[in-house]
Amino acid sequence: MITVKSYCKIDGRTISANGETVSERPDGQSLKDWFTNVHKESGLSYPKFYKMDNLSKAGFLAAEQVLPENEDVQPKEDTAVVLFSGAGSLDTDLQHMETIADNNNYYPSPHVFVYTLANIVCGEIAIRHRIFGETMCYIAESLSAEQLYSQLLYLERERNTRHAICGWCDILKDECKVLLLHVEICPACSTAENEEEMSYFRKQLTEILYSKQ
């Protein structure tokens, strides 16, 4: 059985966690400034946050909401990070292209270039929360309950994964769609891909996706 323990949604206008509003984006404010303000208001001192691209910032902020406040600081070898994304790192890729498009005004930035990989957001989450399990980011058209379920099942079987931070993390320019879940994976579910268990997981995901918050 795979059970959703907590979740966070970011739609570009609102950040909500487990059905409760955490922050609303003021009119006219950029995603970057909004994320920065949310981080400051959280009281968390994590200087590296300010160097991240928007995709990593969104994933980072969502992960802060889905993990317990009093989480164990010990390494989490039985926890994985599994994300799906539509645009991947395209938002940062476009920024990098602007710095190299003109041969007469050529100023590529290592600070930008380092984030031209979609899976960097997984690494940022893993570093922050000391997650030592598998980390992976797949490019897809949408979040599929079946794909996510199968991947989590594989990780339980092959890597003894018991928990995962997983879901959808996608940003392109001013468009932002994030759904991060903290799920618990019961070892018993690894015996077979049971349709009843798959339906239960799909039901959980559907209820969260279509909830107002």
Side-chain angles (χ1 to χ4, degrees):
M1 187 73 70
I2 299 177
T3 305
V4 177
K5 307 296 289 184
S6 58
Y7 69 89
C8 177
K9 297 168 72 173
I10 305 177
D11 65 7
R13 302 302 309 175
T14 304
I15 298 175
S16 62
N18 305 313
E20 300 292 332
T21 299
V22 174
S23 175
E24 293 185 348
R25 178 182 172 190
D27 292 338
Q29 189 174 66
S30 68
L31 281 176
K32 179 180 179 180
D33 289 343
W34 181 39
F35 291 159
T36 297
N37 288 342
V38 171
H39 176 69
K40 288 179 178 178
E41 290 169 1
S42 73
L44 176 67
S45 178
Y46 199 80
K48 190 180 179 184
F49 177 86
Y50 302 101
K51 299 179 181 179
M52 297 179 191
D53 68 340
N54 279 344
L55 185 69
S56 295
K57 287 179 178 178
F60 181 97
L61 291 174
E64 290 298 305
Q65 296 297 325
V66 302
L67 288 169
E69 290 184 8
N70 60 342
E71 65 168 315
D72 190 350
V73 296
Q74 296 299 315
K76 303 174 184 63
E77 297 183 359
D78 66 348
T79 302
V81 181
V82 183
L83 299 182
F84 290 80
S85 180
S89 62
L90 184 57
D91 187 61
T92 305
D93 295 342
L94 293 173
Q95 295 177 46
H96 175 66
M97 282 299 298
E98 291 178 1
T99 70
I100 64 174
D102 186 352
N103 288 333
N104 296 318
N105 190 25
Y106 191 82
Y107 57 101
S109 168
H111 167 66
V112 174
F113 181 72
V114 73
Y115 286 99
T116 56
L117 286 171
N119 62 347
I120 294 295
V121 58
C122 298
E124 296 289 12
I125 293 172
I127 291 169
R128 157 67 180 136
H129 295 282
R130 302 199 72 195
I131 294 172
F132 282 30
E134 299 291 324
T135 61
M136 55 197 70
C137 182
Y138 297 100
I139 304 302
E141 292 184 358
S142 61
L143 180 61
S144 163
E146 288 76 10
Q147 282 184 313
L148 180 54
Y149 179 82
S150 294
Q151 189 60 55
L152 294 174
L153 209 62
Y154 168 81
L155 289 172
E156 194 286 318
R157 289 172 176 171
E158 302 298 327
R159 299 291 187 268
N160 296 317
T161 300
R162 296 292 181 265
H163 296 268
I165 305 304
C166 59
W168 182 260
C169 193
D170 194 51
I171 284 184
L172 183 58
K173 296 183 178 179
D174 201 49
E175 296 295 320
C176 174
K177 291 291 182 182
V178 175
L179 171 61
L180 232 60
L181 314 168
H182 172 209
V183 302
E184 183 176 22
I185 310 168
C186 174
C189 75
S190 66
T191 57
E193 293 200 33
N194 187 298
E195 180 58 34
E196 183 178 344
E197 291 180 357
M198 173 67 244
S199 297
Y200 173 69
F201 181 68
R202 186 191 301 114
K203 181 175 182 291
Q204 292 180 89
L205 196 57
T206 300
E207 288 177 349
I208 293 170
L209 281 169
Y210 291 99
S211 66
K212 292 183 179 180
Q213 290 184 321

